[in-house]
Amino acid sequence: MKETIIGVKKEFVNKYKKGYPLILEEALENPKVLKEEDQIITLIDDKKVFLGKGYYGKQNKGCGWILSNSKNSSLDYKFFYDKLRNAFSKRMKFYHSKDTNTFRVFNGEGDGIGGLTIDYFNEYYLITWYSKGIYEFKENIIKAIKSLVSFDGIYEKKRFEENGMVVDEDSYMCGKKAPEPLIVKENGVNFAIYLNDGAMVGVFLDQKEVRKSIRDKYSRGKRVLNTFSYTGAFSMATAKGGAITTSVDLASRSLEKTTENFKINNIDPTKHEIIVEDVFLYFKRAKKEELKFDMVILDPPSFATSKENRFSAAKDYKDLMKSAIDITEDEGIIIASTNCATFNMTRFKKFIDDAFKESHKNYQILEEHSLPGDFAVTEKFPEGNYLKVVFVSVY
């Protein structure tokens, strides 16, 4: 691989000296020297002092990652083997769990290699590559996985199309092909997973602790509205806890996927409502019909577009929260969640506070959650700790 030495602008030098791992194009003196996404980059300051070594890889944030703060580090097989071994050993307790057999085993920059995640699904591994740059190291990474763990099969997702979309091709790599669906278990709740079905395989693993808390503490006897419900993961958790659920999502396949998840959990789907509809239109209709729920779960994508609506979490979460307040019973609960990395928990709570003030309602925060333990984060990259969840009691 070619190695390129590139200077960092003065105003960014301290950031990189403190170990910031994301290579920002605007921080580089001459980004035009970056041509091919297999370039190794060495960053230096204006006195030619070494700042870090990494790779060039275009993605929706930054243009690469620093992998080592050691001048003499070789980004070779041993480098990747050591990073993966360290990450896998930290997850050992998850491998030994009786009621969970799916979790994240490698979380990008939190485990020392930005642009790479690896998830474990009941003896199958799913690798996600976020740029052509990290994909250039594929051979060493696969070799390291094979030497560290046994598995039934390995799948991959290439998230380096325009806008971070997944490359549309067969995801199977090696080993046995996974059954369709592959049934996995999280805290005793089953989920149907499709490893070869686009970017979204069937469950977002970062919400495991949130789902467990909802099921164990807040669900019994409640009427729950699960919005942006996708495959109904939150609906499964609340139904297992004794709730009657209404799941709403615009995607037509959400009906079939949610029904399937109810069935594999031995829950009668006919006792629950699954609605294919634009969530924003549903809120308007529910308010008009004076529907009320004991719990409303809000976990929208950071950006969403439908025929009628455009949603951006950074701009529109307050209004979404107001829509939820309108149809939540007094003493009911709203689970407000976002994975938007462009604002922090303080600002998120401000959206919630403003929504309640404008709705002339009071609230109390019951719980807060960020990423679970298997989603390793580093304080050198606070944006990596993107998940913000607040349990709010309405009164």
Side-chain angles (χ1 to χ4, degrees):
M1 286 183 183
K2 288 177 285 185
E3 191 160 333
T4 304
I5 295 171
I6 192 163
V8 169
K9 291 176 185 170
K10 264 187 182 165
E11 63 266 35
F12 289 94
V13 166
N14 269 344
K15 195 179 183 81
Y16 288 110
K17 276 186 176 167
K18 289 175 183 168
Y20 188 75
L22 183 62
I23 300 172
L24 302 165
E25 193 167 329
E26 62 268 29
L28 305 177
E29 288 285 7
N30 185 14
K32 288 184 178 151
V33 302
L34 300 174
K35 306 282 189 204
E36 301 295 326
E37 288 191 65
D38 61 352
Q39 280 174 276
I40 302 290
I41 304 174
T42 294
L43 298 186
I44 56 168
D45 68 10
D46 59 341
K47 296 183 179 70
K48 305 216 169 0
V49 173
F50 173 85
L51 295 172
K53 184 185 277 192
Y55 70 88
Y56 171 47
K58 289 186 287 188
Q59 53 181 65
N60 61 356
K61 53 184 178 187
C63 63
W65 293 91
I66 290 174
L67 300 185
S68 177
N69 296 112
S70 165
K71 196 174 187 177
N72 301 317
S73 178
S74 298
L75 304 181
D76 55 9
Y77 170 69
K78 186 178 184 311
F79 173 86
F80 290 101
Y81 176 88
D82 288 346
K83 292 283 188 195
L84 287 162
R85 182 184 60 182
N86 189 35
F88 287 1
S89 63
K90 282 181 183 169
R91 274 72 169 189
M92 209 44 73
K93 66 175 183 184
F94 294 104
Y95 280 105
H96 294 306
S97 167
K98 287 188 171 65
D99 59 1
T100 296
N101 61 16
T102 182
F103 47 91
R104 179 148 292 183
V105 293
F106 198 95
N107 194 44
E109 72 286 340
D111 284 302
I113 304 175
L116 171 77
T117 63
I118 308 172
D119 294 314
Y120 174 79
F121 294 102
N122 190 12
E123 299 301 330
Y124 286 86
Y125 287 87
L126 175 64
I127 305 167
T128 304
W129 318 93
Y130 285 89
S131 71
K132 290 175 185 168
I134 190 62
Y135 194 68
E136 289 294 325
F137 299 103
K138 173 179 174 174
E139 201 174 303
N140 281 334
I141 291 166
I142 300 298
K143 186 179 168 188
I145 293 170
K146 287 179 174 178
S147 65
L148 285 163
V149 288
S150 61
F151 54 83
D152 283 350
I154 299 178
Y155 282 69
E156 67 177 349
K157 304 286 180 194
K158 299 174 195 167
R159 293 290 292 267
F160 43 76
E161 284 283 34
E162 289 297 315
N163 304 321
M165 298 301 285
V166 71
V167 176
D168 186 18
E169 62 182 27
D170 192 344
S171 303
Y172 167 76
M173 279 182 72
C174 62
K176 283 195 302 190
K177 287 203 170 184
E180 293 195 340
L182 171 66
I183 307 300
V184 300
K185 192 167 53 167
E186 175 198 276
N187 295 317
V189 180
N190 294 326
F191 295 109
I193 300 298
Y194 292 82
L195 293 179
N196 216 356
D197 190 14
M200 314 300 187
V201 298
V203 66
F204 294 112
L205 301 179
D206 52 5
Q207 295 276 16
K208 65 165 71 61
E209 288 175 0
V210 178
R211 284 190 283 265
K212 186 176 190 300
S213 190
I214 292 172
R215 181 194 67 189
D216 293 350
K217 298 185 203 170
Y218 302 103
S219 295
R220 185 146 305 283
K222 298 292 194 294
R223 286 164 299 126
V224 175
L225 173 65
N226 179 16
T227 63
F228 309 97
S229 58
Y230 181 38
T231 61
F234 280 112
S235 302
M236 299 313 118
T238 51
K240 279 275 195 180
I244 296 299
T245 68
T246 298
S247 306
V248 183
D249 197 289
L250 181 58
S252 52
R253 66 186 193 150
S254 64
L255 173 61
E256 165 202 339
K257 298 275 187 189
T258 306
T259 303
E260 178 179 48
N261 275 328
F262 275 129
K263 286 178 177 172
I264 63 171
N265 282 289
N266 299 315
I267 297 167
D268 183 354
T270 63
K271 297 200 167 133
H272 301 262
E273 201 171 5
I274 306 166
I275 298 169
V276 176
E277 187 176 356
D278 183 328
V279 170
F280 304 99
L281 296 180
Y282 178 83
F283 273 128
K284 286 177 186 164
R285 182 163 66 82
K287 185 181 179 183
K288 199 172 168 187
E289 293 174 12
E290 298 183 352
L291 299 179
K292 292 275 187 177
F293 294 89
D294 303 309
M295 185 191 296
V296 177
I297 298 168
L298 290 180
D299 185 26
S302 295
F303 302 95
T305 305
S306 68
K307 281 180 190 170
E308 307 282 334
N309 291 284
R310 291 173 69 83
F311 173 82
S312 155
K315 290 181 189 167
D316 305 317
Y317 206 102
K318 180 193 75 173
D319 292 333
L320 180 66
M321 193 76 189
K322 284 165 72 177
S323 296
I325 293 166
D326 283 340
I327 61 170
T328 304
E329 295 278 15
D330 281 344
E331 297 184 19
I333 292 171
I334 298 172
I335 312 293
S337 173
T338 181
N339 62 4
C340 186
T342 62
F343 54 85
N344 61 16
M345 181 64 103
T346 304
R347 192 159 156 225
F348 186 46
K349 285 184 180 170
K350 178 83 168 62
F351 296 156
I352 293 168
D353 188 64
D354 288 348
F356 273 93
K357 279 179 179 158
E358 290 178 24
S359 300
H360 308 293
K361 288 271 193 177
N362 296 312
Y363 71 97
Q364 181 185 356
I365 292 177
L366 304 173
E367 288 186 26
E368 293 176 30
H369 291 261
S370 55
L371 288 171
D374 51 327
F375 279 70
V377 292
T378 170
E379 60 192 18
K380 292 168 183 172
F381 188 67
E383 307 98 297
N385 197 1
Y386 58 84
L387 184 68
K388 295 163 282 288
V389 185
V390 183
F391 289 44
V392 184
S393 174
V394 182
Y395 63 95

